Amino acid sequence: MNDCVFCKIIKGEIPSEKLYEDDLMVVIKDICPKAEKHYLAIPKKHFKLLSEMTAQDAVDLGNCMKKAGELAETLGLQNGFRLIINQGEDADQTVFHLHMHLLGGQKLQETDYKNKD
């Protein structure tokens, strides 16, 4: 997508501190953190919603989730983290490129995270 901010980050058109990158995804710090540690795991393939995924996209997203778990200690999330995927306007998704929020680095309460991208 030409106007997608995450696609531009993936392509290197918008600078970001990539904490991890492989063939399937990048992990960056969220610019508006909602917890002590707040990262975005962004699949490199652009699709907006879970309902738009192909079977292969689902496999790839599963691999991204597995990698997020493997990166937990490196990212300072060894005591646990919350993984959130906002879907659609009612969930307050503001960037329509599917991505996962990883929040942690502190004891999280139910109200600690307001659904914001």
Side-chain angles (χ1 to χ4, degrees):
M1 300 294 298
N2 292 335
D3 59 344
C4 174
V5 65
F6 288 162
C7 287
K8 289 179 179 182
I9 288 170
I10 291 164
K11 292 177 189 174
E13 296 172 4
I14 294 176
S16 68
E17 181 183 349
K18 293 179 183 173
L19 303 171
Y20 176 81
E21 182 172 12
D22 64 20
D23 292 342
L24 297 176
M25 73 170 176
V26 298
V27 176
I28 62 173
K29 289 182 180 178
D30 193 296
I31 62 170
C32 187
K34 305 298 182 204
E36 184 178 321
K37 307 279 184 179
H38 187 166
Y39 307 104
L40 301 178
I42 308 166
K44 287 187 172 180
K45 182 175 179 194
H46 180 95
F47 53 92
K48 296 177 185 179
L49 303 167
L50 292 168
S51 60
E52 295 179 355
M53 290 191 314
T54 66
Q56 185 59 54
D57 294 338
V59 169
D60 291 346
L61 184 61
N63 287 325
C64 292
M65 293 173 81
K66 182 178 184 306
K67 181 53 76 174
E70 292 169 0
L71 293 171
E73 187 170 346
T74 303
L75 296 173
L77 303 172
Q78 63 272 13
N79 290 332
F81 62 94
R82 184 171 292 161
L83 184 121
I84 299 169
I85 299 175
N86 295 328
Q87 290 287 277
E89 291 180 19
D90 283 355
D92 210 12
Q93 182 180 6
T94 58
V95 178
F96 286 89
H97 179 129
L98 188 130
H99 57 285
M100 299 177 287
H101 295 260
L102 288 83
L103 294 99
Q106 68 186 65
K107 183 95 170 151
L108 296 171
Q109 302 299 317
E110 184 175 332
T111 58
D112 283 346
Y113 182 69
K114 306 263 191 240
N115 292 325
K116 290 280 185 196
D117 279 326

